[in-house]
Amino acid sequence: MSTKKIVIDPITRIEGHLRIEVEVDEEGVITDAFASGQLFRGIEYIMRGRDPRDVGLIAGRICGVCTNSHFRAAVSSVEDAYSLEVPTNAVIIRDLMAMALFIQDHIVHFYHLHALDFVDVVSALGADIPSTVKEAYKYASDPYRNSESHYASLKNRVQKFVDSGKLGPFANGYWGHSEYRLTPEQNLILLSHYLEALRFQSEISKAVAIFGGKTPHPQSIVVGGITSVADMLNPQRLNDYLFVIKEAKEFIDRAYMPDMRLLAEAYRGDIKAAQGRANGNFLAVGGYAFDNDRKLFEGGAIFGHDFTDIQPFDEKELSEAVDRAWYEGDEVCYTDLNDDGTLKTAEPTDKYSWIKAPRYKGEPMETGPLARVLVSYHKGGLIKPFVDEFLEAADLEIIDLSTTMGRNIARAIESSFVCEYIFKLVSRLLQNISYYDTQTWCKYEFSEMPPESSGRVFLEVPRGFLSHFIDIRESKVERFAVIAPTTWNATPRNRDGKRGAYEEALIGIKLADQSKPLEVLRTIHSFDPCLACAVHVIDLRGTELSKRLLRVE
Ligand code: NI
């Protein structure tokens, strides 16, 4: 059977530069796929020779989106190297920033980076306004901004866009594609939420900035604690924070979650056909203590969808390889494209990505909200009732979440869950302060810290499982390494030829129109790719990233 190659480069509506190549058979079914990180980064080189107290501010620049995640992780890796005990208040403040970021990231991802893979903007213009109001009540008891006047004015605005021929952010969509399944009324509801979410995501950013000084690139996390002490002690600032979260929760309950139910119904066939399912390997490290013995997320590893055997996370099982990435020993080793402009992938040793290949127990793993939900759910974690409620309302099973749509459902459930627990975190902070525990940093003398030391941190961040590793020599950074969530999901093959999560998720998908590969975009977008974060160079010697912690095959 002859195959044809389809190249999508760049994939848009993501952070960074990603190229996807798929091979399709005569029926238009994807038979093979290659994900290629197209952006070379060198932040680890910049780190060398720096003062370890500066790594947070530098690492925050790895990405323009995940700034807070890298900032915190890098600072925590130094704290680990110096064995510093960070006070409870500082941990809570860091968690409050992280939690706001979870919500902000998930809302931006779904509405602004992904929704238009499901929502046909042009079709919304055909919506009947009274029917739209009625339709929204099918999925929510009190739908968000659900009035005839609101929808009529929205429709008017979009019509003006279309009439002027300038679709702005909606230009170049595959409008009219047969894989768009929503009715004009449903499209109008989602389009309304798309625009409302634009306002929300900027509001939620303010919540991060209350304790971070600003966002992106917050300033308030330092080795040993936090600096936003006055904000922590000011009841008005805490109120401001909670006000934003309450508003976000309302949007999540009345728009985001109902939209997931609507989509789960409209795309039920794809869900049941397991569209976008990867290899069933999931990795989560868990974390975010809110009580003495309970955590927001559980950690563990699942292999091949075997939910009966969730293995505890063990850092000794992490490894990284560059057999198929553009590195060789001491050198960067870029190999150009084939004459026809496609990636060199024909040979099992051909290199095709700037992304390295992280493995857990030698296996490619999927990380992210879906991995967290599946691990926590099966370990009886706190999120379980939230998941059960959705599954029951949508008449789905837990395995159905291991799909393109399921990744979005997991993200929405997680947003709702996190909102709920933010209030508990704030109560814990207030309780601490009322007992006159106002400590926000641990005192240490830099000159007394060991000049040679290594540290690492494993953290759940919005896009998944993030690791930072640091080696300190003569009180300077000698080596610094990152494995970001997208490094896991967008990994190239290894010498064993096993596909990564992006690649595996595409296999078996049938393209309705090969000139408009909407199904590919949809599945890749469901992972919330962040390529700026994903690409990290290896140590120049091409071997170990952190002597103590990381085995490189
Ligand atoms: Ni990022």
Side-chain angles (χ1 to χ4, degrees):
M1 192 180 273
S2 69
T3 58
K4 185 178 148 189
K5 241 181 192 180
I6 298 173
V7 179
I8 310 170
D9 182 17
I11 298 272
T12 55
R13 288 187 182 255
I14 63 166
E15 165 67 35
H17 305 274
L18 173 67
R19 175 188 179 111
I20 296 286
E21 289 193 7
V22 295
E23 290 176 12
V24 294
D25 65 15
E26 285 155 349
E27 307 292 316
V29 175
I30 296 173
T31 54
D32 208 351
F34 296 88
S36 172
Q38 293 281 300
L39 176 81
F40 176 77
R41 311 270 296 167
I43 204 100
E44 289 88 345
Y45 293 129
I46 297 170
M47 287 290 193
R48 288 198 184 130
R50 301 277 179 166
D51 188 312
R53 291 167 294 184
D54 290 342
V55 295
L57 289 170
I58 300 169
R61 271 67 186 175
I62 286 173
C63 177
V65 179
C66 318
T67 59
N68 192 53
S69 305
H70 290 295
F71 183 30
R72 178 182 186 170
V75 168
S76 301
S77 70
V78 178
E79 287 161 351
D80 182 57
Y82 290 161
S83 303
L84 297 177
E85 189 93 16
V86 181
T88 304
N89 289 332
V91 174
I92 296 175
I93 293 292
R94 290 177 183 186
D95 286 354
L96 289 178
M97 281 195 275
M99 292 296 107
L101 198 68
F102 268 77
I103 301 167
Q104 198 256 0
D105 191 275
H106 290 355
I107 289 179
V108 170
H109 168 260
F110 177 67
Y111 286 100
H112 307 128
L113 304 179
H114 193 19
L116 300 187
D117 299 333
F118 303 98
V119 178
D120 187 333
V121 174
V122 176
S123 147
L125 294 173
D128 174 67
I129 300 295
S131 307
T132 306
V133 172
K134 228 171 116 186
E135 179 70 14
Y137 279 112
K138 282 192 197 166
Y139 307 99
S141 55
D142 186 14
Y144 199 78
R145 288 207 78 179
N146 192 43
S147 71
E148 291 195 15
S149 60
H150 167 68
Y151 290 129
S153 112
L154 171 65
K155 203 172 135 179
N156 212 9
R157 273 162 64 200
V158 178
Q159 186 68 58
K160 276 187 191 156
F161 256 130
V162 173
D163 291 345
S164 70
K166 293 173 189 160
L167 275 168
F170 305 132
N172 303 322
Y174 293 147
W175 313 130
H177 194 289
S178 64
E179 274 300 302
Y180 281 120
R181 306 259 176 82
L182 305 188
T183 63
E185 290 74 24
Q186 292 173 332
N187 280 316
L188 189 61
I189 293 170
L190 270 286
L191 183 60
S192 162
H193 296 164
Y194 176 108
L195 295 169
E196 294 298 320
L198 276 176
R199 185 171 60 81
F200 265 109
Q201 61 89 18
S202 79
E203 283 301 309
I204 304 168
S205 294
K206 288 181 193 167
V208 182
I210 283 171
F211 299 116
K214 67 186 185 68
T215 194
H217 302 301
Q219 304 278 315
S220 62
I221 302 177
V222 290
V223 173
I226 52 136
T227 60
S228 39
V229 187
D231 302 298
M232 183 187 86
L233 294 173
N234 182 346
Q236 186 57 46
R237 299 292 275 168
L238 280 172
N239 264 338
D240 291 346
Y241 176 90
L242 285 176
F243 182 77
V244 172
I245 301 299
K246 271 183 192 148
E247 286 233 297
K249 177 147 176 46
E250 200 180 314
F251 179 77
I252 291 165
D253 289 346
R254 295 170 59 196
Y256 193 7
M257 292 299 288
D259 287 349
M260 285 304 132
R261 281 196 48 207
L262 186 157
L263 286 170
E265 196 176 288
Y267 288 89
R268 188 175 179 82
D270 289 349
I271 295 174
K272 287 292 175 187
Q275 193 175 93
R277 184 167 295 168
N279 49 26
N281 299 341
F282 298 97
L283 182 62
V285 71
Y288 298 100
F290 76 93
D291 235 341
N292 291 335
D293 55 352
R294 293 233 72 169
K295 287 185 294 185
L296 222 49
F297 304 116
E298 303 295 326
I302 296 171
F303 292 93
H305 290 115
D306 181 359
F307 299 140
T308 61
D309 178 26
I310 305 212
Q311 304 177 15
F313 170 70
D314 179 357
E315 63 184 86
K316 290 195 288 298
E317 298 295 346
L318 292 169
S319 63
E320 258 188 336
V322 292
D323 318 333
R324 311 285 309 259
W326 284 311
Y327 310 95
E328 187 77 72
D330 292 0
E331 305 288 336
V332 161
C333 173
Y334 178 72
T335 50
D336 212 347
L337 301 171
N338 292 316
D339 291 342
D340 66 355
T342 56
L343 292 167
K344 282 202 167 70
T345 54
E347 298 300 320
T349 52
D350 277 344
K351 293 172 179 285
Y352 64 92
S353 180
W354 286 115
I355 300 174
K356 295 175 290 179
R359 296 291 184 264
Y360 185 78
K361 287 195 170 177
E363 295 294 321
M365 308 296 284
E366 177 172 347
T367 173
L370 174 60
R372 280 195 288 265
V373 162
L374 291 178
V375 169
S376 284
Y377 184 88
H378 289 100
K379 287 183 83 175
L382 296 165
I383 204 168
K384 190 171 185 300
F386 289 74
V387 180
D388 280 331
E389 191 186 327
F390 185 91
L391 293 178
E392 199 187 323
D395 188 24
L396 292 174
E397 294 170 56
I398 189 78
I399 187 71
D400 295 329
L401 296 187
S402 183
T403 52
T404 298
M405 186 58 76
R407 289 186 192 95
N408 292 304
I409 294 169
R411 225 170 257 117
I413 293 173
E414 192 171 89
S415 303
S416 169
F417 168 68
V418 161
C419 268
E420 197 79 22
Y421 280 90
I422 279 179
F423 297 108
K424 291 188 197 290
L425 266 178
V426 172
S427 320
R428 190 171 167 227
L429 177 67
L430 292 173
Q431 204 180 10
N432 247 14
I433 297 171
S434 67
Y435 282 112
Y436 304 103
D437 173 9
T438 54
Q439 201 187 347
T440 52
W441 59 291
C442 67
K443 195 168 163 56
Y444 72 97
E445 291 296 334
F446 184 63
S447 58
E448 291 168 11
M449 292 293 111
E452 305 221 338
S453 182
S454 294
R456 87 286 187 246
V457 67
F458 306 108
L459 203 59
E460 287 295 343
V461 298
R463 287 180 161 90
F465 168 42
L466 172 66
S467 320
H468 278 205
F469 305 88
I470 191 167
D471 287 343
I472 298 167
R473 297 288 174 269
E474 296 176 8
S475 301
K476 302 279 186 204
V477 179
E478 188 188 59
R479 227 176 284 172
F480 184 81
V482 174
I483 307 176
T486 300
T487 320
W488 286 99
N489 294 335
T491 175
R493 288 156 169 80
N494 200 345
R495 73 181 66 118
D496 58 20
K498 287 178 187 165
R499 297 184 193 98
Y502 282 13
E503 296 173 341
E504 192 62 37
L506 293 169
I507 306 301
I509 293 178
K510 187 175 164 68
L511 301 180
D513 178 348
Q514 293 178 27
S515 67
K516 294 175 179 170
L518 178 63
E519 300 89 339
V520 173
L521 291 181
R522 189 181 277 166
T523 289
I524 294 299
H525 281 157
S526 75
F527 287 94
D528 194 4
C530 193
L531 273 290
C533 278
V535 179
H536 291 281
V537 296
I538 56 162
D539 166 56
L540 264 183
R541 278 161 277 175
T543 53
E544 293 170 79
L545 285 160
S546 170
K547 273 184 189 158
R548 185 160 71 87
L549 300 156
L550 204 57
R551 176 169 53 84
V552 175
E553 291 177 337

